[in-house]
Amino acid sequence: MSETSKEHSRAGSVAVDSEGMVKGEISPSDVRVGFKCYVEKAGEKRRAEILSTHVRKGKLVFYVHYEEFNKRLDEWIPAERLDLKMPVEIPKPEKPKKTLASGKESAKNNKVAKKGKKTSKKGKPTPAGGKENDEAAAKEALGEDEMDLDDVQPNGQVETGEFNREEEIEKLRTSGSMTQNSHEIARVRNLTSVIMGAHEIEPWYFSPYPVELTEEDVIYICEFSLCYFGSKKQFERFRSKCTLRHPPGNEIYRDDDNKISFFEIDGRRQRTWCRNLCLFSKLFLDHKTLYYDVDPFLFYCMTKQDERGHHLVGYFSKEKESADNYNVACILTLPQYQRHGYGRVLIDFSYNLSMKEGKHGSPEKPLSDLGLLSYRAYWADTIIELLMETKKPEMTIEDVANTTAMTTTDVLHTLQTLNMLKYYKGQHIICLTDAIVQKYERQKQKKRIRIDPNKLQWKPPVFTAAQLRFAW
Ligand code: ACO
């Protein structure tokens, strides 16, 4: 069989050259999953991969992922937006994987396997709010963990190459999430629209809601119980009976000026509510695997109060017992509240809890692109503020970590990124440059909600061994 005819059979009725490019013009009905072609997006032509096709109301629609754009922007488009006059590529089928025993590939795989040991220790149970999926673990083992925090040594040395913020953010921005789920189904967003309280929200990613709901144009989520409905009528009937007006846990923090509260919810005691929360948050978190085992987690939910009740703004989950001293497993600001500073408040709260526990904490890795941006901003601003306001020139990395409850690795990494570490007379010292002073002045102008430790009514919960046994 000639090369061209082999390619021809791969692409069905479409003729393809040896480079995998379609010969001549094809019609939308010839377009299959995996084809890469140009799509009209906001007045521009962007190259996109077809992830799924479907006939909706008698018309062919395509689910596309724009190359070099975040996965959040993936969308269903009608056939008219495909430009099939421009080059169309049909990716070659993947070659079978080489065995462990052969050549270079084998050495690489062995390396992965070795490093993977470390990862699998980290990735112990499979939590609802937490652990990255296997693919992420593999990436991390391969050294593709975008945080690269492991490369930073407490003594200030960086094991591998120069840290480049722009490159790292770019990588995250374009890959969309830390891991692209290899399962075809999970690559396609399954809900179109969600109505929650006064907000209509467009989901970003796949979440395993019951399949019947995925056929609805819109689903309804009760903003207090987080129960979900495919029919408005059912939802309204439910709402007329639902008496819940705040997350079902203890209110451990209240800021009357900003009408902000935090509730602590035990995954074991409020299984259904917490599972509903995980299911909902999976719509906006792509790099975490959702499991229904919420028992090992506590959920810290931030609300904003009005006359109708405490409306959920965001939350973070936290392992009851984290072998790695993670103080956050998953963190989310509901999309309708994002970019208003609430993510920073959630992060600040998580460090206040760590402070009360007398521990240093760090979020679970890998972080998403937005998670990384938010943590970077929080770490930088917190450290700069501390150094500017305490005015103690002799402050060490350990002092900063002890005062902020951050890990020394995160402090060190942040100081390096900000170019604040100088090697002087055989040791690293922290320097406040003019650029840092200016950054501090700019940040001071911003009106921010801050956590007041005096308003936190909380003792670190203690669990017995039996309570921490999660098989049920
Ligand atoms: N673009 C650029 N910078 C951003 C963006 C963005 N879209 N979002 C946050 N930032 C940065 C900014 O520096 C910002 O500070 P600034 O406003 O002073 O410039 C800082 O992060 C904090 O912004 P907030 O408004 O406080 O953050 P927000 O309420 O939007 O919440 C969060 C941030 C929680 C990451 C939110 O984007 C989110 O829920 N994303 C989806 C879920 C997710 O990715 N979670 C993190 C996963 S990692 C983990 O769970 C451990």
Side-chain angles (χ1 to χ4, degrees):
M1 209 192 262
S2 76
E3 187 68 18
T4 312
S5 54
K6 246 192 269 167
E7 299 294 346
H8 193 285
S9 62
R10 189 176 84 221
S13 59
V14 173
V16 179
D17 66 17
S18 57
E19 300 293 306
M21 303 307 290
V22 169
K23 288 197 209 162
E25 201 179 319
I26 54 169
S27 75
S29 58
D30 294 322
V31 174
R32 302 275 181 275
V33 170
F35 280 29
K36 291 185 177 177
C37 53
Y38 283 83
V39 171
E40 152 96 38
K41 172 89 179 159
E44 283 176 28
K45 296 280 159 60
R46 290 187 191 163
R47 215 169 106 94
E49 183 184 347
I50 308 293
L51 299 185
S52 184
T53 68
H54 189 63
V55 177
R56 191 177 290 161
K57 294 185 181 146
K59 289 198 169 167
L60 204 51
V61 286
F62 300 87
Y63 193 76
V64 297
H65 168 66
Y66 298 101
E67 279 189 354
E68 299 186 1
F69 281 85
N70 193 291
K71 195 179 165 188
R72 277 193 290 282
L73 302 179
D74 294 2
E75 60 179 341
W76 285 102
I77 57 149
E80 298 82 71
R81 281 180 51 196
L82 296 176
D83 188 343
L84 299 174
K85 290 196 184 74
M86 291 185 79
V88 177
E89 187 191 339
I90 301 180
K92 289 202 160 85
E94 276 186 19
K95 288 196 178 119
K97 288 206 173 84
K98 287 185 186 163
T99 60
L100 270 178
S102 66
K104 261 190 186 173
E105 199 62 23
S106 140
K108 193 171 146 197
N109 284 335
N110 280 336
K111 203 170 142 199
V112 174
K114 266 192 210 158
K115 275 195 150 192
K117 262 191 190 166
K118 183 178 138 212
T119 314
S120 63
K121 181 194 124 248
K122 275 190 185 173
K124 312 165 287 9
T126 49
K131 299 290 179 237
E132 59 271 46
N133 62 24
D134 291 347
E135 206 177 332
K139 270 195 159 194
E140 195 181 338
L142 270 168
E144 288 178 32
D145 174 4
E146 281 77 350
M147 282 301 288
D148 280 340
L149 288 180
D150 288 350
D151 295 334
V152 181
Q153 305 300 304
N155 62 7
Q157 287 168 333
V158 181
E159 248 177 30
T160 53
E162 192 71 1
F163 172 75
N164 183 330
R165 183 178 189 275
E166 273 64 42
E167 271 176 22
E168 196 173 295
I169 298 288
E170 181 61 14
K171 194 172 161 198
L172 284 163
R173 186 180 71 78
T174 55
S175 64
S177 56
M178 310 298 287
T179 53
Q180 303 284 329
N181 199 318
S182 56
H183 302 294
E184 206 55 48
I185 178 123
R187 295 183 76 189
V188 179
R189 188 166 50 231
N190 54 340
L191 294 185
T192 314
S193 184
V194 171
I195 292 187
M196 187 184 207
H199 307 274
E200 179 157 2
I201 311 161
E202 194 184 311
W204 298 352
Y205 306 117
F206 172 89
S207 179
Y209 277 94
V211 72
E212 316 82 78
L213 295 195
T214 64
E215 278 149 27
E216 304 293 341
D217 289 336
V218 58
I219 73 156
Y220 299 83
I221 298 185
C222 168
E223 59 173 328
F224 297 112
S225 69
L226 306 180
C227 290
Y228 42 84
F229 302 87
S231 121
K232 191 172 181 193
K233 212 167 153 195
Q234 276 176 3
F235 168 68
E236 282 170 349
R237 198 177 313 134
F238 174 86
R239 285 292 306 137
S240 65
K241 291 181 196 150
C242 176
T243 52
L244 206 58
R245 289 292 173 267
H246 57 76
N250 292 332
E251 189 179 4
I252 57 171
Y253 183 89
R254 183 179 285 203
D255 167 355
D256 284 321
D257 297 336
N258 294 299
K259 304 265 179 253
I260 293 285
S261 292
F262 274 86
F263 292 81
E264 181 185 60
I265 297 131
D266 185 332
R268 185 172 203 152
R269 290 178 180 212
Q270 296 292 344
R271 247 176 225 154
T272 306
W273 195 89
C274 294
R275 283 176 186 170
N276 285 346
L277 178 62
C278 292
L279 207 49
F280 174 74
S281 60
K282 179 65 191 71
L283 292 170
F284 311 99
L285 274 160
D286 190 41
H287 68 297
K288 304 281 187 182
T289 305
L290 181 98
Y291 288 95
Y292 288 91
D293 186 8
V294 290
D295 288 23
F297 293 90
L298 290 163
F299 294 78
Y300 293 93
C301 298
M302 177 166 71
T303 60
K304 199 158 171 64
Q305 192 185 11
D306 67 10
E307 59 292 343
R308 290 188 300 118
H310 289 267
H311 306 269
L312 186 66
V313 169
Y315 84 98
F316 63 87
S317 55
K318 176 171 171 149
E319 278 176 283
K320 289 175 182 170
E321 213 180 37
S322 167
D324 305 276
N325 261 342
Y326 289 137
N327 62 356
V328 164
C330 271
I331 183 164
L332 173 85
T333 301
L334 271 53
Q336 62 268 38
Y337 294 106
Q338 282 176 13
R339 295 308 315 262
H340 289 93
Y342 293 119
R344 195 179 280 266
V345 181
L346 285 165
I347 296 172
D348 199 18
F349 193 79
S350 71
Y351 281 106
N352 271 274
L353 295 188
S354 296
M355 195 80 80
K356 271 239 159 150
E357 290 172 316
K359 290 181 181 170
H360 294 184
S362 190
E364 191 181 295
K365 316 299 177 304
L367 297 173
S368 67
D369 55 348
L370 294 175
L372 183 58
L373 280 168
S374 307
Y375 268 97
R376 283 259 168 84
Y378 175 82
W379 289 330
D381 294 344
T382 306
I383 293 174
I384 294 172
E385 191 179 287
L386 175 71
L387 295 171
M388 290 293 294
E389 290 176 7
T390 53
K391 293 198 169 44
K392 280 193 194 154
E394 70 283 5
M395 226 179 197
T396 63
I397 289 168
E398 282 72 25
D399 293 337
V400 175
N402 291 338
T403 321
T404 57
M406 291 178 197
T407 61
T408 47
T409 310
D410 290 343
V411 173
L412 185 60
H413 195 255
T414 309
L415 290 171
Q416 279 174 332
T417 313
L418 293 169
N419 225 354
M420 288 173 72
L421 273 187
K422 297 275 178 281
Y423 196 64
Y424 181 72
K425 290 191 178 169
Q427 59 174 343
H428 284 98
I429 54 163
I430 305 174
C431 296
L432 287 168
T433 60
D434 287 348
I436 293 298
V437 175
Q438 282 164 17
K439 188 171 161 59
Y440 169 72
E441 296 299 340
R442 277 198 308 275
Q443 287 300 326
K444 242 174 74 173
Q445 308 298 321
K446 293 192 181 168
K447 201 174 163 286
R448 295 203 192 283
I449 301 174
R450 282 163 187 275
I451 295 296
D452 177 354
N454 299 320
K455 292 185 177 143
L456 178 60
Q457 303 286 315
W458 184 75
K459 272 199 200 132
V462 181
F463 297 96
T464 63
Q467 285 168 328
L468 288 172
R469 223 173 291 125
F470 296 117
W472 44 272

